[in-house]
Amino acid sequence: MKRIMVIGAGQAGASLVAKLRALGHGGPITLVGEEPVPPYQRPPLSKAYLLGEMARERLFLRPESFYAEQGITLRLGAPVTAIDRAAQARASGGGGAGL
Ligand SMILES: Cc1cc2nc3c(=O)[nH]c(=O)nc-3n(C[C@H](O)[C@H](O)[C@H](O)COP(=O)(O)OP(=O)(O)OC[C@H]3O[C@@H](n4cnc5c(N)ncnc54)[C@H](O)[C@@H]3O)c2cc1C
């Protein structure tokens, strides 16, 4: 089964990895993001969250446990600086290298 690495742990990246699992991809999936937190919603940042009407945890698109339960590896705080398609590897400012 193919290994899949998604770079960018925003709304699109988080939705993609969840959808891959939901559609039956059984191979390893890694979601790499430069930010140190799990994927979160941005719209409330300038609205309810800024007004103090929303807890930080509710910003997250899914609880961090979701990714482990789904066998999705989260590599956070890891800005990708280069990819090597032939070697199927990434270079990263943090969080290691490779898939
Ligand atoms: C304050 C705010 C309020 C908003 N309000 C609304 C709204 O009311 N309605 C609406 O429709 N939209 C709103 N938006 C826009 C909406 O949030 C975006 O359209 C949406 O977040 C896009 O999701 P995305 O996953 O495509 O990109 P992004 O959210 O930009 O996610 C990309 C992720 O990839 C990461 N990344 C990028 N390059 C690398 C790299 N080289 N290595 C590792 N990681 C990398 C980034 O750190 C980021 O976490 C708002 C945005 C903000 C900031």
Side-chain angles (χ1 to χ4, degrees):
M1 190 63 83
K2 267 186 180 280
R3 296 175 299 161
I4 296 179
M5 177 172 64
V6 175
I7 300 170
Q11 183 130 19
S15 300
L16 175 58
V17 295
K19 198 65 168 177
L20 284 166
R21 274 287 179 259
L23 292 176
H25 178 73
I29 300 176
T30 303
L31 179 61
V32 187
E34 63 185 333
E35 297 182 80
V37 292
Y40 58 91
Q41 314 171 58
R42 281 158 173 68
L45 289 178
S46 55
K47 302 171 184 79
Y49 184 69
L50 196 62
L51 293 169
E53 296 169 354
M54 188 177 187
R56 182 177 181 272
E57 293 68 36
R58 289 198 50 222
L59 286 176
F60 297 131
L61 291 162
R62 297 175 185 276
E64 198 163 357
S65 57
F66 167 85
Y67 302 95
E69 287 160 12
Q70 293 293 315
I72 296 167
T73 303
L74 271 186
R75 294 251 185 269
L76 303 173
V80 173
T81 54
I83 58 171
D84 181 338
R85 289 177 194 276
Q88 297 193 337
R90 69 182 160 97
S92 193
L99 284 177

